[in-house]
Amino acid sequence: MPDASHPLVERFDAAVAAVEARWEELGLHPRRLDRGELAAYPGRGAVKGWRFAADFPGGLRRLDVIVTAGFPFVPARIALVDRPRFLTWPHVEKDGVLCLFPDTTTMSVDEPYDGVAALLKEAFAMVEDAIAGKLEDDFRTEFLTYWHHAQRGRDVTVLSLLDPGPPSRSVRVWEGVNQTIIAENDEQLRAWLRNAAPEVASSKVKPRAGAFVWLDRVPTPAEYPSSAGDVYALAERSGAAELLDELLREPLPRTFVSFGALADSGPALAAVVVKRPAVVRGRDPLTAGFRPSIVPEHVARSRFFGGEQCERHSIERVDPAWIHGRDRDARVPRLRGCVVALLGCGSVGAPVAHALARSGVGKLILVDKQTLKCANVGRHTLGVESIDDAKAPALAKQIRVALPHVDVVHHVAEVQELLLRDNNPLDGVDLIVSALGDWPAESLLDEWHAAQGRRVPIVYGWTEPYAVAGHAIAISAPGDSLRVGLDAYGTPHLVAARWTQDPRRYEPACGAAFDPYGPVELGFVTSMVAQAALDALLGQIRSGTHRIWLARRAAVEAAGGTWSDELRAAAPNALDGATIVERRWGRSARILAA
């Protein structure tokens, strides 16, 4: 601990003194723990502790209260000294420390005794319930935690792409050096690995057969399989023994079996590995006494799925339903089937692309002909490693690596080039997001959109200088257009901010002009554009809707600007800023919301 005069040490000492004084008032005299007893809790940072002894059904049990140097800001912990074997009772960790409240629970830092008293009260109640056998179902409710505690075998990360539900079925497994992937089929597995680990040569990806067994209930620790025979018995009880019989017919050095069951809070997955008995001095224990080709199936089964210890591994779900909302986002199934074309992969388009991918959109088509320059890096999702790279493929790679289940394609091209192709990749998409910031290109896009009958919605997004305002326009009906809100030169009829001096800045190069703004200010704009895109995909925004993000008025004035007369007339109640205004897109339109 720091020196005794340190303010936090003084606070620690005062909190400890307050707790001990209260115990003294109540006639309680717990014994202080010595250094050796505190050392029984390695990794806990315990610097002080006390031991209580109390009568419980069945006899006396001791409870330790331990605190770290962060007390009272870090809550005390309670440990059960006299406890059964690990995983006999739930909520008791290997060193006896009890898990009494969720991690999100807070304790009063001003009344340290109250927090300790609440923990002790909960600990006594928990131990009594455990003795009475009332907590057995908690093993099932919190299965993933207890299975993780029961892991054994190689230190490997297991990732699942499976749809985590019945029926039991054959699956495909790829084992890398430190990572194992489970997938429904080879195509899904290879596609995921191409995105997640492009450095792994396709010739190195050799999937093997595995089994996914759906259980009728979540097992408790007493039911966790310890041997290969236990694995087979668990599958047999679930009516999936034939899946393991199929695996037996393949000469696999390691047979991978994953289990799934429905817990109170959703599907829970776990994995076991059964290793083929080793050949010793040329003698194969699976075929001993028989010719290899005529070993009776029941003999092979009893030898392979025998008493050999199995490995147990936790599974991390990386399927889309889990990645996007932990099974709780009802929008994901719909978004997974959507294709979004994003035109312009600059400082507005790139974060919007990331947001849509992370929201659950299944496929992105990225279009941009420009390359990333050094000055772009400060407000772009791409970094210095992508300088002088074309933005579209670099952004596509970045998203694929981050979210390997998302299909991302790119085109290094001008939008005009794509619109003139016979096989226009924009045909058949569910949404187009234009973040081009190029009025001639967007005017052409608007005319193409009209010729197509506005079959697919388009969301246009851009920002004003210093990002003091941003705009998102949704166009999806024949009666609406982008052009109706612009003058002949592509300038919007409603500009939120006016400037006493030209806000544009110039680099010492020909035509190198740029609008000044940083990534923090820009974040409000890109979030609004991404939200408008999601709303358009889900049918939750009307055609012709114009959303405007307005920064704080103080920020506008600090940058040398003022709100325009047009904005003052259109949204007089929103001039303090830090808000979104919603109106009809056009020269003069009423405000819908603010």
Side-chain angles (χ1 to χ4, degrees), residues 164 212-219 259-263 266-270:
F212 177 66
V213 177
W214 187 257
L215 307 176
D216 59 358
R217 64 187 180 91
V218 177
F259 294 99
L262 188 61
L269 305 184

Side-chain angles (χ1 to χ4, degrees), residues 550-567:
L550 301 175
R552 293 177 301 109
R553 179 164 54 185
V556 180
E557 294 171 351
T562 60
W563 293 133
S564 68
D565 292 340
E566 296 85 357
L567 180 68

Side-chain angles (χ1 to χ4, degrees), residues 124-434:
F124 276 83
M126 195 218 83
V127 173
E128 288 176 351
D129 286 347
I131 293 171
K134 296 179 180 180
L135 301 181
E136 187 76 2
D137 284 345
D138 290 5
F139 277 129
R140 297 189 173 93
T141 302
E142 301 173 12
F143 168 76
L144 296 179
T145 296
Y146 297 109
W147 180 270
H148 179 76
H149 286 317
Q151 283 189 129
R152 66 186 187 199
R154 294 196 311 163
D155 184 14
V156 61
T157 299
V158 181
L159 304 178
S160 169
L161 297 170
L162 301 178
D163 178 8
S168 297
R169 56 196 182 272
S170 296
V171 295
R172 302 297 287 176
V173 179
W174 177 76
E175 291 191 86
V177 177
N178 295 310
Q179 195 174 77
T180 296
I181 315 297
I182 320 167
E184 298 285 1
N185 50 58
D186 286 0
E187 181 183 4
Q188 182 190 45
L189 195 154
R190 290 181 180 278
W192 194 91
L193 276 173
R194 275 197 303 271
N195 290 341
E199 71 281 0
V200 177
S202 58
S203 60
K204 299 290 186 181
V205 180
K206 297 178 180 178
R208 301 202 303 256
F212 177 66
V213 177
W214 187 257
L215 307 176
D216 59 358
R217 64 187 180 91
V218 177
T220 63
E223 299 168 314
Y224 295 172
S226 292
S227 67
D230 294 339
V231 174
Y232 192 90
L234 194 55
E236 190 172 38
R237 287 197 299 272
S238 302
E242 70 279 0
L243 294 175
L244 272 60
D245 290 338
E246 290 175 12
L247 295 177
L248 185 61
R249 300 184 187 106
E250 300 192 30
L252 300 174
R254 291 166 54 83
T255 296
F256 202 96
V257 181
S258 48
F259 294 99
L262 188 61
D264 290 347
S265 299
L269 305 184
V272 296
V273 174
V274 175
K275 292 186 287 188
R276 191 184 194 280
V279 175
V280 180
R281 296 179 182 177
R283 180 178 180 276
D284 187 345
L286 293 185
T287 62
F290 299 91
R291 293 179 182 176
S293 59
I294 59 170
V295 179
E297 187 172 273
H298 72 279
V299 173
R301 181 189 304 125
S302 64
R303 291 178 174 180
F304 189 89
F305 293 105
E308 291 286 329
Q309 191 178 75
C310 67
E311 295 179 7
R312 290 193 291 247
H313 299 284
S314 294
I315 288 180
E316 294 286 344
R317 286 178 56 188
V318 290
D319 58 281
W322 185 253
I323 292 291
H324 305 292
R326 306 190 192 194
D327 286 332
R328 297 297 191 272
D329 193 335
R331 302 172 299 175
V332 170
R334 183 172 175 180
L335 293 173
R336 284 292 299 156
C338 290
V339 180
V340 175
L342 200 138
L343 314 181
C345 298
S347 57
V348 173
V352 170
H354 272 281
L356 293 177
R358 293 183 183 281
S359 296
V361 170
K363 181 175 181 178
L364 294 175
I365 301 173
L366 307 181
V367 181
D368 198 309
K369 196 169 185 175
Q370 294 183 342
T371 58
L372 186 78
K373 297 303 179 183
C374 300
N376 302 144
V377 171
R379 60 189 193 189
H380 203 283
T381 64
L382 296 171
V384 294
E385 74 283 354
S386 300
I387 288 173
D388 288 334
D389 290 343
K391 292 178 183 178
L395 180 61
K397 179 180 178 182
Q398 188 183 57
I399 295 174
R400 288 190 202 106
V401 171
L403 300 164
H405 59 280
V406 178
D407 185 6
V408 190
V409 299
H410 66 269
H411 297 274
V412 181
E414 300 281 3
V415 172
Q416 298 92 316
E417 298 174 33
L418 299 188
L419 296 179
L420 294 172
R421 288 185 187 178
D422 290 335
N423 60 339
N424 180 358
L426 303 186
D427 290 335
V429 301
D430 298 289
L431 172 70
I432 297 171
V433 178
S434 177

